[in-house]
């Protein structure tokens, strides 16, 4: 059985030069897409949003609107 890379090269060589250029451009596109996926997928760091929002001191206090239900 022919190795995959040898088969790909053989088939690319069968294409016209214009189509070979398109294949190269597509490969470059796929490589950049793969690189973006690597850089954008990361685990969130605990505390990384610290200071981006502020909660009021009475956040847990009962609301006036719900007094009749309590």
């Amino acid at each position: 059985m022919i190795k995959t890379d040898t088969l790909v090269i053989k088939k690319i060589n069968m294409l016209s030069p214009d189509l070979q250029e398109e294949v190269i451009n597509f490969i470059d596109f796929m490589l950049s897409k793969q690189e973006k996926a690597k850089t954008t997928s990361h685990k969130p760091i605990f505390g990384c949003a610290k200071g981006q929002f502020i909660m009021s001191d009475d956040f847990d206090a009962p609301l006036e609107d719900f007094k009749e239900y309590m």
Side-chain angles (χ1 to χ4, degrees):
M1 183 171 206
I2 299 175
K3 289 179 64 177
T4 305
D5 54 346
T6 307
L7 182 61
V8 170
I9 291 171
K10 183 178 178 182
K11 288 190 177 196
I12 289 175
N13 286 333
M14 292 169 49
L15 297 172
S16 68
D18 292 341
L19 291 176
Q20 287 179 5
E21 185 66 30
E22 283 190 44
V23 170
I24 291 170
N25 290 338
F26 180 71
I27 292 171
D28 289 340
F29 166 74
M30 295 302 292
L31 288 171
S32 68
K33 186 176 177 180
Q34 179 180 358
E35 204 52 41
K36 285 180 186 176
K38 285 181 184 178
T39 58
T40 57
S41 63
H42 64 282
K43 293 182 180 179
I45 300 169
F46 180 76
C48 65
K50 186 175 183 177
Q52 292 186 4
F53 61 94
I54 300 171
M55 296 176 72
S56 63
D57 293 333
D58 63 345
F59 176 77
D60 289 329
L63 298 173
E64 293 291 325
D65 296 339
F66 293 105
K67 268 190 179 179
E68 63 185 78
Y69 301 107
M70 297 175 89

